[in-house]
Amino acid sequence: MVVLVWVLVGCLSAAVAEDPNLSSLYPPFWEDITGQLSGFDLEDGKYIINPWEFTDRMKLYKILLNKTAPYFAKYGPENEQNLLWGLPLQFGWQYTTGRLSDPTGKTTCGYEILDELCVSVNSWWADVNYFLSVLPFLAAVDSGILGISSDEFRISLPPLDESRFCYNVSDCKELVGETMDSWSTFFEYMQLPSSDFDGLLKHLWAAHTSSLEYPVSAFEDRYAYYSKQEVKFEENWSIAVEYIAAAYFPTTLNRTNSFQKGLPPRLLYDTDIAPLIANFTSLQNQVLLSLTALGDIHKLTGSSSLTAWKILMSTKFAREQFLKAFEAYLGAPTSDFNF
Ligand SMILES: *[C@@H]1O[C@H](CO)[C@@H](O)[C@H](O)[C@H]1NC(C)=O
Ligand SMILES: *[C@@H]1O[C@H](CO)[C@@H](O)[C@H](O)[C@H]1NC(C)=O
Ligand SMILES: *[C@@H]1O[C@H](CO)[C@@H](O)[C@H](O)[C@H]1NC(C)=O
Ligand SMILES: *[C@@H]1O[C@H](CO)[C@@H](O)[C@H](O)[C@H]1NC(C)=O
Ligand SMILES: *[C@@H]1O[C@H](CO)[C@@H](O)[C@H](O)[C@H]1NC(C)=O
Ligand SMILES: *[C@@H]1O[C@H](CO)[C@@H](O)[C@H](O)[C@H]1NC(C)=O
């Protein structure tokens, strides 16, 4: 079990980019969008944020990254060590791999030139990501860290399933109160003079895993739109995130990019069986294989493997040893770790 998680995280850490050009690490459109509320359209005195448009959701992340930058400055230059990078980079990966397009194929959402930036409400990935983008944004508004007030903007509704989402602070506290609280805890902790990197990781991953609970069960009906292999990946991915969270994977700009090199570069077809998927790198094939193995073990042990893993990873020393051993094993640099 432990070995499998090692393989998983290890594979993901192996491909640390040797690219000193930070620009090449940013998610799509990052440098073309503004990180301010004034970058949204104004209507009746309120900025209209449409999370069903790729660049609008990305703008929320840019605001978050920009406003939290001061709290990560002591860990490295250029906001590179900001742990919130994991979120826009994952969203960017979803976009470039076609995972935000309408999987039913009944609309052009996410496909044609004119509709390329459309984020489909039918997409499982887009629905889950809503709770990892709009949610942290609203919690950050609520905590005051953004200097933005709730009256300044409005979140647009999706074309369907309105009641499964939430659109403002009070609404979201009602739908997913615990998740809002866990994000608030993260933003409050960040502002403490005594906050440290390990503590930030702990609170971030607590908020991240909490964010998945509701959407992973609320959007199970979306599985019907995907191939069997993609569904397995979606399910096993949600499980793997729990293990990665317990190991406090540092979601910095560099690390997350390396991590994503191991993820499938397109939607999976029914015929895609790892480790023999043509046109996937061996890393991508290995990662899929490890995810499957991890998902199987998790199921077989009735999730007690996760409990065991959490106990194992419960000390900073163990997490350090785990990540370092892997780096050493793979001969990858360890210099961009901050414990
Ligand atoms: C990101 O990683 C690359 C390659 O490992 C390194 O050269 C660069 O300095 C890193 N950037 C930061 C800001 O740590
Ligand atoms: C960095 O990469 C970006 C995009 O790949 C490119 O446009 C830019 O010119 C590069 N900058 C440098 C200094 O190499
Ligand atoms: C945040 O945004 C302001 C205003 O656009 C800009 O001057 C600043 O450099 C940004 N900070 C970071 C870390 O991106
Ligand atoms: C928040 O959203 C709910 C549901 O969309 C709405 O009924 C409520 O009036 C909104 N509250 C505020 C303060 O805008
Ligand atoms: C692999 O890539 C080649 C060239 O781009 C393409 O012709 C082929 O159909 C791809 N194979 C699969 C299984 O996607
Ligand atoms: C994970 O992958 C395995 C093997 O492909 C599959 O049997 C299982 O249903 C997937 N999902 C979960 C939740 O384990």
Side-chain angles (χ1 to χ4, degrees):
M1 215 302 295
V2 173
V3 172
L4 282 167
V5 181
W6 275 36
V7 168
L8 182 59
V9 177
C11 283
L12 299 170
S13 314
V16 172
E18 284 303 333
D19 190 350
N21 183 353
L22 282 184
S23 246
S24 64
L25 301 177
Y26 292 143
F29 302 103
W30 191 257
E31 290 174 299
D32 308 324
I33 58 176
T34 58
Q36 284 159 332
L37 205 54
S38 57
F40 291 96
D41 293 339
L42 199 58
E43 203 177 278
D44 299 331
K46 282 186 201 282
Y47 291 104
I48 308 300
I49 299 170
N50 179 6
W52 305 99
E53 168 96 7
F54 181 76
T55 41
D56 268 20
R57 224 186 257 201
M58 203 49 113
K59 282 180 206 165
L60 295 183
Y61 284 136
K62 197 156 180 185
I63 294 174
L64 276 174
L65 266 287
N66 182 287
K67 290 297 186 343
T68 54
Y71 307 102
F72 289 94
K74 63 182 167 189
Y75 305 113
E78 298 191 70
N79 208 18
E80 196 276 332
Q81 291 287 313
N82 194 323
L83 293 171
L84 288 169
W85 276 119
L87 300 175
L89 286 168
Q90 264 289 289
F91 187 53
W93 167 78
Q94 290 166 3
Y95 172 78
T96 52
T97 60
R99 288 184 164 81
L100 300 176
S101 310
D102 185 355
T104 69
K106 286 185 183 147
T107 70
T108 57
C109 183
Y111 295 102
E112 300 190 350
I113 308 277
L114 287 176
D115 229 1
E116 212 171 41
L117 294 176
C118 176
V119 171
S120 174
V121 69
N122 288 325
S123 157
W124 179 85
W125 295 96
D127 295 337
V128 174
N129 176 268
Y130 188 93
F131 294 88
L132 285 168
S133 55
V134 175
L135 250 278
F137 178 79
L138 290 174
V141 166
D142 196 35
S143 77
I145 201 170
L146 302 182
I148 291 174
S149 134
S150 274
D151 326 317
E152 292 180 75
F153 64 89
R154 198 175 68 220
I155 309 273
S156 309
L157 308 181
L160 51 96
D161 291 333
E162 258 172 52
S163 63
R164 296 202 212 168
F165 300 91
C166 58
Y167 309 96
N168 55 47
V169 172
S170 46
D171 198 15
C172 290
K173 280 184 177 167
E174 210 162 292
L175 184 69
V176 283
E178 274 180 36
T179 302
M180 284 292 278
D181 286 347
S182 59
W183 281 107
S184 296
T185 305
F186 172 65
F187 292 119
E188 278 155 25
Y189 176 80
M190 187 184 285
Q191 297 172 74
L192 296 176
S194 60
S195 71
D196 61 30
F197 204 72
D198 205 52
L200 285 164
L201 278 168
K202 174 181 164 203
H203 291 296
L204 175 77
W205 279 113
H208 191 118
T209 49
S210 169
S211 296
L212 296 175
E213 281 170 25
Y214 165 77
V216 163
S217 62
F219 297 98
E220 275 180 345
D221 58 338
R222 307 304 197 236
Y223 291 149
Y225 305 141
Y226 296 93
S227 73
K228 274 198 203 74
Q229 295 302 330
E230 180 72 11
V231 172
K232 274 186 191 174
F233 172 59
E234 289 167 359
E235 290 175 342
N236 285 332
W237 179 235
S238 326
I239 292 170
V241 168
E242 301 271 349
Y243 287 82
I244 294 166
Y248 291 5
F249 185 86
T251 46
T252 62
L253 180 60
N254 260 358
R255 291 255 140 215
T256 309
N257 267 285
S258 315
F259 182 106
Q260 297 197 152
K261 289 206 173 92
L263 299 181
R266 58 160 173 75
L267 282 163
L268 298 175
Y269 310 135
D270 272 335
T271 50
D272 287 335
I273 312 290
L276 301 170
I277 307 175
N279 296 356
F280 275 32
T281 63
S282 69
L283 181 67
Q284 287 161 350
N285 267 305
Q286 274 182 53
V287 166
L288 266 186
L289 201 60
S290 308
L291 279 175
T292 298
L294 186 65
D296 285 346
I297 287 172
H298 184 83
K299 259 192 180 165
L300 276 173
T301 62
S303 87
S304 66
S305 55
L306 179 59
T307 310
W309 178 248
K310 280 181 178 163
I311 292 168
L312 195 64
M313 288 290 114
S314 64
T315 69
K316 186 172 166 184
F317 179 76
R319 292 190 297 274
E320 247 172 53
Q321 292 312 302
F322 161 65
L323 287 162
K324 275 191 187 149
F326 235 108
E327 295 289 304
Y329 171 67
L330 296 157
T334 53
S335 54
D336 53 346
F337 274 119
N338 272 290
F339 285 103

